[in-house]
Amino acid sequence: MEEDSTKSSLSRRLAFSRENFDDYFVALTAKLRSDANADLVLSGELQHPLILFQQTHQASLQTLGVEFVFPQTLFADPVTPYSIFIRQLTDSLLRADPVPDIQGLDDLQAAQAVFRRAETHIYTTIVDTLRVGKSMHYARQVKFGAGQQLLRNIVSDNRTVTTRSLMAVFSALF
């Protein structure tokens, strides 16, 4: 009796399905957007805080010789490039003779923590819906915490498969 209730709860759980991708995507989006920060990230209102920080302090960072991190790099891996950037910035500030005035480092750290939690929530929610072995290859394609990248990979792959299927049907008709 206990096994039946466990099986029925698992069968009602959201799981990736290529056959019913539209329904899966709607349910997944609803689940992701239930988190306020993840909703802001998915809607584009909350971008990686390092992008804005680099734009604001561009002249000071160039004077210090700190390498800029491109948005595409942050999109593919929102954690590692940020850590490298902070290390470079810290080392440069320690070596600088006249230390440039860079405001907002504490705000950057706080915003990064919020953004990282949102990306990790997106990633873990999606991975939770993937079936081991059948669709887990999506998660292996991206770095841990790159939730938006994982979501876009799944949508892109589904679009490619749908296009191939339509082309096969049309070529069979002609």
Side-chain angles (χ1 to χ4, degrees):
M1 180 87 161
E2 193 173 309
E3 290 178 38
D4 292 335
S5 64
T6 305
K7 284 182 183 177
S8 65
S9 68
L10 288 176
S11 65
R12 285 183 278 168
R13 201 173 127 204
L14 177 61
F16 175 80
S17 170
R18 187 169 299 220
E19 297 78 32
N20 299 313
F21 182 79
D22 293 335
D23 296 336
Y24 162 77
F25 190 72
V26 168
L28 178 64
T29 304
K31 196 172 197 175
L32 292 175
R33 292 195 180 253
S34 66
D35 181 75
N37 292 327
D39 183 41
L40 291 173
V41 168
L42 290 173
S43 66
E45 293 178 45
L46 180 62
Q47 291 185 338
H48 199 292
L50 188 55
I51 295 170
L52 181 62
F53 182 82
Q54 290 179 140
Q55 290 171 349
T56 306
H57 301 290
Q58 186 173 5
S60 298
L61 294 173
Q62 286 177 338
T63 302
L64 289 170
V66 177
E67 292 182 28
F68 284 78
V69 181
F70 295 106
Q72 298 85 355
T73 306
L74 291 170
F75 181 72
D77 183 4
V79 179
T80 308
Y82 173 81
S83 301
I84 293 169
F85 177 85
I86 292 298
R87 267 187 261 128
Q88 284 182 350
L89 179 61
T90 304
D91 292 345
S92 296
L93 286 172
L94 292 174
R95 286 192 314 257
D97 187 13
V99 178
D101 186 28
I102 297 181
Q103 301 292 323
L105 281 174
D106 293 334
D107 294 337
L108 175 65
Q109 293 285 7
Q112 171 63 16
V114 169
F115 186 82
R116 184 174 181 181
R117 275 194 306 274
E119 280 278 341
T120 303
H121 172 75
I122 294 168
Y123 181 89
T124 55
T125 302
I126 294 171
V127 169
D128 189 40
T129 67
L130 300 177
R131 292 194 177 123
V132 176
K134 292 184 178 179
S135 56
M136 194 55 76
H137 68 277
Y138 292 115
R140 288 190 299 265
Q141 293 173 350
V142 299
K143 298 271 188 175
F144 176 80
Q148 293 182 87
Q149 178 72 31
L150 178 58
L151 185 62
R152 287 195 179 131
N153 283 0
I154 291 172
V155 170
S156 174
D157 184 59
N158 183 68
R159 191 173 295 134
T160 302
V161 168
T162 303
T163 303
R164 285 183 190 153
S165 299
L166 287 173
M167 292 304 290
V169 167
F170 288 139
S171 65
L173 290 173
F174 296 113

